[in-house]
């Protein structure tokens, strides 16, 4: 299990970074730790993909957002027509795909508010694609562009989120598995076009949008 720093980073002049303000209380002696996925939770991966796919392949069939099913977009395109899976993959492997993604409504404001809460550490926890020529750099560049340079110290790139220690993980992927069979975090499913049809078994929880009461989810994990 990889344990992230329980204290916020210190910045020039003694200012606190984006990991939250400190109060007297903590969770088991430390701040509440929240992991936020990037693509599909903060950045509009699905919308960005569809726009670029239709622009590059205007004569090919596509899947409207309301018809998306399943986390793996390339698999659904592969079932639509032979060869479409590879074409879909070429979109997010191309330069500037991740950097050009638009923030989801309310995401930037919510993250900044979350990071300003007392006893709260916020990290962006995102998985780079295996074709890494552009993706890792562009994920950092996206965070700097939309959340500011102070958030760069709170970016975690990993192919396995189960090994990262936290209290909450807000992520749009329904099935998050890895080396750790019992992750320390509670997975809150962020609603996206590809997962809105899934019924979560109790006690699974959703965050439908950043306009929903995300504060209540965080407060439910704090000590009473």
């Amino acid at each position: 299990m990889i344990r992230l720093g329980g204290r916020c980073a210190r910045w020039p002049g003694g200012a606190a970074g984006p990991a939250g303000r400190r109060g007297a209380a903590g969770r088991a002696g430390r701040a509440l730790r929240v992991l936020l996925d990037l693509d599909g939770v903060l950045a509009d991966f699905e919308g960005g993909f569809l726009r670029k796919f239709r622009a590059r392949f205007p004569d090919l069939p596509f899947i409207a957002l309301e018809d998306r099913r399943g986390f793996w977009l390339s698999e659904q395109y592969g079932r639509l027509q032979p060869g479409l899976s590879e074409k879909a993959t070429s979109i997010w492997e191309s330069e500037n795909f991740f950097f050009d993604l638009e923030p989801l409504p309310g995401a930037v404001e919510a993250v900044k508010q979350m990071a300003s809460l007392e006893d709260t550490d916020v990290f962006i926890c995102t998985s780079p694609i295996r074709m890494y020529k552009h993706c890792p750099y562009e994920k950092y560049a996206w965070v700097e562009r939309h959340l500011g340079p102070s958030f760069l110290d709170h970016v975690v790139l990993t192919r396995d989120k189960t090994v990262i220690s936290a209290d909450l993980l807000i992520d749009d992927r329904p099935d998050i598995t890895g080396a750790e069979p019992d992750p320390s975090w509670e997975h809150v499913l962020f609603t996206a076009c590809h997962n809105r049809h899934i019924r979560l078994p109790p006690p699974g929880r959703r965050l439908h949008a950043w306009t929903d009461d995300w504060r209540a989810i965080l407060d439910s994990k704090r000590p009473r």
Side-chain angles (χ1 to χ4, degrees):
M1 187 73 68
I2 299 175
R3 301 190 181 277
L4 302 174
R7 288 289 184 182
C8 62
R10 304 304 299 181
W11 303 93
R21 295 178 293 124
R22 291 290 174 266
R27 189 176 192 276
R30 64 165 174 81
L32 183 77
R33 188 172 302 142
V34 183
L35 306 179
L36 303 176
D37 183 28
L38 182 57
D39 306 317
V41 174
L42 304 182
D44 185 10
F45 182 96
E46 294 276 348
F49 166 82
L50 187 57
R51 285 189 294 272
K52 291 202 171 186
F53 183 88
R54 297 189 67 182
R56 185 180 299 181
F57 305 114
D59 299 324
L60 293 179
F62 64 91
I63 299 169
L65 296 181
E66 58 267 26
D67 295 325
R68 277 280 292 117
R69 294 292 186 276
F71 180 77
W72 298 107
L73 191 151
S74 58
E75 291 184 359
Q76 190 175 3
Y77 269 78
R79 293 191 295 270
L80 183 64
Q81 179 177 297
L84 278 192
S85 177
E86 292 77 12
K87 287 182 170 59
T89 302
S90 74
I91 298 297
W92 58 75
E93 288 182 345
S94 61
E95 187 175 8
N96 289 326
F97 173 78
F98 288 96
F99 182 70
D100 288 343
L101 295 178
E102 293 294 326
L104 285 168
V108 170
E109 295 81 2
V111 174
K112 291 181 177 179
Q113 292 172 18
M114 189 182 300
S116 72
L117 296 176
E118 289 187 0
D119 299 302
T120 307
D121 285 336
V122 180
F123 292 87
I124 310 300
C125 187
T126 180
S127 298
I129 63 174
R130 289 190 175 93
M131 176 63 176
Y132 56 81
K133 182 177 182 181
H134 307 297
C135 176
Y137 165 78
E138 291 183 15
K139 284 177 178 283
Y140 274 99
W142 192 97
V143 169
E144 182 176 42
R145 178 184 185 183
H146 294 288
L147 297 174
S150 63
F151 250 96
L152 294 178
D153 280 352
H154 293 267
V155 176
V156 180
L157 294 184
T158 178
R159 296 283 299 177
D160 187 348
K161 297 180 183 180
T162 70
V163 301
I164 307 300
S165 173
D167 300 294
L168 283 167
L169 168 66
I170 300 177
D171 200 300
D172 66 308
R173 181 173 176 177
D175 55 335
I176 300 178
T177 59
E180 175 54 59
D182 186 22
S184 61
W185 35 255
E186 176 192 351
H187 176 203
V188 174
L189 184 65
F190 191 87
T191 298
C193 59
H194 63 80
N195 70 31
R196 64 178 67 250
H197 63 289
I198 296 175
R199 291 186 178 182
L200 295 181
R205 295 195 284 178
R206 280 184 182 267
L207 180 63
H208 290 285
W210 286 111
T211 53
D212 283 357
D213 192 0
W214 54 264
R215 292 173 185 263
I217 293 177
L218 269 63
D219 288 343
S220 72
K221 305 297 289 187
R222 300 185 191 278
R224 300 296 181 180

